[in-house]
């Protein structure tokens, strides 16, 4: 178990052992890890999901799923600055209404109302004409109204 191997690892590190660089996670490892992350998020266990999701996002920055899911886990933990950075990473790969909306939520959580409003507006505009995003557009409109009422 991890608890019993910790003292062994500590002794090895003190003796000068340097772990090998893991490098990029192989597909064989990343897919099962991502499934675990998704399951943890589905169960509301964001504190457990966040470090695994972050590891995937760091090792595979061009896969928007990993950055988005890591952003989602950190957002649910109310660590909005980290979540916002991960959503930005996801946006570099693909601009989606959902990612823009989530980034707006993080910025609102950070007290950056004016910038959040711009992201909610962008989310709304990008979703225009696509029925699958109708509810997201409604949420973006409501979020903007709430933010504007506090300014």
């Amino acid at each position: 178990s991890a608890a019993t191997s910790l003292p062994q690892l500590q002794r090895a590190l003190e003796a000068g052992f340097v772990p090998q660089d893991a490098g990029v996670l192989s597909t064989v490892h990343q897919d099962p890890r991502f499934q675990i992350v998704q399951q943890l998020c589905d169960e509301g266990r964001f504190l457990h999901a966040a470090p695994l999701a972050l590891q995937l996002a760091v090792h595979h920055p061009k896969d928007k799923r990993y950055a988005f899911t890591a952003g989602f886990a950190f957002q649910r933990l109310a660590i909005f600055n980290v979540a916002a950075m991960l959503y930005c990473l996801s946006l570099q790969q693909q601009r989606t209404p959902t990612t823009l909306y989530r980034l707006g939520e993080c910025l609102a959580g950070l007290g950056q109302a004016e910038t959040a409003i711009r992201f909610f507006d962008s989310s709304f505009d990008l979703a225009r004409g696509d029925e699958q995003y109708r509810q997201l557009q409604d949420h973006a409109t409501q979020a903007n109204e709430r933010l504007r009422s506090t300014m």
Side-chain angles (χ1 to χ4, degrees), residues 1 4 14 20 22 25-26 31 40 42 62-63 70 75 84 87 94-95 101 108 116 124 127 134 139-140 145 147:
S1 84
T4 58
E14 289 169 352
Q20 291 183 342
L25 293 172
S26 69
D31 289 341
L40 290 168
D42 290 345
K62 293 190 185 235
D63 191 322
Q75 181 183 4
Y87 287 138
Q94 184 179 5
R95 194 173 161 89
Y101 177 81
F124 186 94
R134 169 58 48 207
H139 289 306
E145 289 170 359
L147 288 172

Side-chain angles (χ1 to χ4, degrees), residues 5-144:
S5 63
L6 215 53
Q8 293 171 342
L9 178 59
Q10 183 177 353
R11 286 193 296 277
L13 291 171
E14 289 169 352
F17 169 75
V18 178
Q20 291 183 342
D21 182 13
V24 174
L25 293 172
S26 69
T27 303
V28 172
H29 293 106
Q30 73 191 36
D31 289 341
R33 188 162 301 182
F34 187 58
Q35 289 173 357
I36 291 169
V37 168
Q38 288 178 306
Q39 181 179 346
L40 290 168
C41 286
D42 290 345
E43 295 171 358
R45 298 171 59 196
F46 303 109
L47 191 59
H48 299 285
L52 294 173
L54 183 60
Q55 183 183 37
L56 285 167
V58 167
H59 282 278
H60 300 281
K62 293 190 185 235
D63 191 322
K64 67 177 176 56
R65 299 173 305 160
Y66 300 151
F68 181 87
T69 303
F72 181 76
F74 280 94
Q75 181 183 4
R76 290 298 176 248
L77 294 170
I79 306 173
F80 299 120
N81 55 342
V82 173
M85 184 261 322
L86 289 160
Y87 287 138
C88 285
L89 182 61
S90 181
L91 282 172
Q92 288 178 352
Q93 302 312 314
Q94 184 179 5
R95 194 173 161 89
T96 69
T98 305
T99 307
L100 291 165
Y101 177 81
R102 294 285 183 203
L103 184 52
E105 288 182 320
C106 290
L107 293 167
L110 291 168
Q112 298 177 22
E114 289 182 27
T115 307
I117 288 169
R118 286 199 301 273
F119 277 95
F120 289 135
D121 285 342
S122 294
S123 172
F124 186 94
D125 291 341
L126 189 59
R128 192 180 310 278
D130 191 336
E131 277 304 309
Q132 75 173 339
Y133 292 112
R134 169 58 48 207
Q135 187 174 13
L136 183 75
Q137 287 180 305
D138 292 343
H139 289 306
T141 300
Q142 293 165 5
N144 274 348

